[in-house]
Amino acid sequence: MEINVRVGEAADVPAMMKLVKELAEFEKAPEQVSNTEEQMLKDGFGQNPIFGSFVAEADGEIVGIAIYYFRYSTWKGKRLYLEDIVVNSEFRGKGMGKALFDKTIEKAKETNCTGMMWQVLDWNQSAIEFYKQYGTRFDDDWVNCKLDF
């Protein structure tokens, strides 16, 4: 199996949304997905893209994605926020997640970010163990907040 990680393209959006929905199933929240292919196309590949992406291919088929954007910390400066990293369940444990994560770290460094941030569900032990390999600091002091419109 040949693994290739590359920058996402507009033509990849259907495969990307399929993986987003797979992630929602895995996280036991499929009803939470309200995004559409059309919106993702506009937001990621329109005139003013607000996110970037990488796709992982196995023998030419997209089997993983990393979606990121830049944020600003008043204490740390420019940071890369990894919104989602998703690998198709059949391809987990084969280096896809590592290839995507490494590519995202590389992007953060290339764009002069002071660090990278993301979230992981507290019950996703395999992901937590994966991130520990990178020396990840887990923050128990902050509570996530959100407003939906």
Side-chain angles (χ1 to χ4, degrees):
M1 175 177 61
E2 183 181 333
I3 297 173
N4 179 46
V5 175
R6 61 171 174 79
V7 172
E9 302 170 353
D12 300 329
V13 167
M16 293 167 79
M17 273 307 296
K18 183 178 177 188
L19 285 163
V20 167
K21 290 176 181 176
E22 184 177 328
L23 174 65
E25 289 283 341
F26 175 76
E27 292 184 353
K28 302 170 180 66
E31 72 287 350
Q32 297 286 328
V33 178
S34 60
N35 202 4
T36 64
E37 288 181 21
E38 293 77 19
Q39 191 65 49
M40 185 175 259
L41 190 61
K42 177 184 171 209
D43 292 342
F45 304 95
Q47 190 171 8
N48 297 305
I50 58 173
F51 72 85
S53 60
F54 295 109
V55 297
E57 298 173 312
D59 299 327
E61 177 189 355
I62 294 173
V63 296
I65 58 170
I67 306 286
Y68 67 88
Y69 55 89
F70 298 102
R71 63 179 295 259
Y72 190 78
S73 165
T74 55
W75 289 11
K76 302 289 184 180
K78 183 180 178 183
R79 313 284 273 176
L80 186 144
Y81 189 86
L82 176 60
E83 176 64 26
D84 280 321
I85 186 166
V86 188
V87 175
N88 177 279
S89 58
E90 294 176 32
F91 291 88
R92 291 188 193 136
K94 299 180 185 208
M96 296 289 178
K98 179 176 181 356
L100 285 163
F101 197 68
D102 289 349
K103 191 72 167 175
T104 307
I105 290 170
E106 185 180 308
K107 179 69 173 181
K109 290 178 177 179
E110 285 174 359
T111 54
N112 299 313
C113 291
T114 62
M116 195 164 101
M117 303 175 78
W118 65 94
Q119 296 173 307
V120 61
L121 289 167
D122 59 1
W123 55 261
N124 191 346
Q125 203 57 44
S126 62
I128 291 168
E129 292 305 315
F130 171 78
Y131 295 132
K132 282 181 180 178
Q133 298 172 32
Y134 288 85
T136 299
R137 234 178 348 104
F138 296 89
D139 189 351
D140 294 328
D141 297 334
W142 292 86
V143 175
N144 290 314
C145 303
K146 64 182 171 184
L147 290 173
D148 292 323
F149 300 108

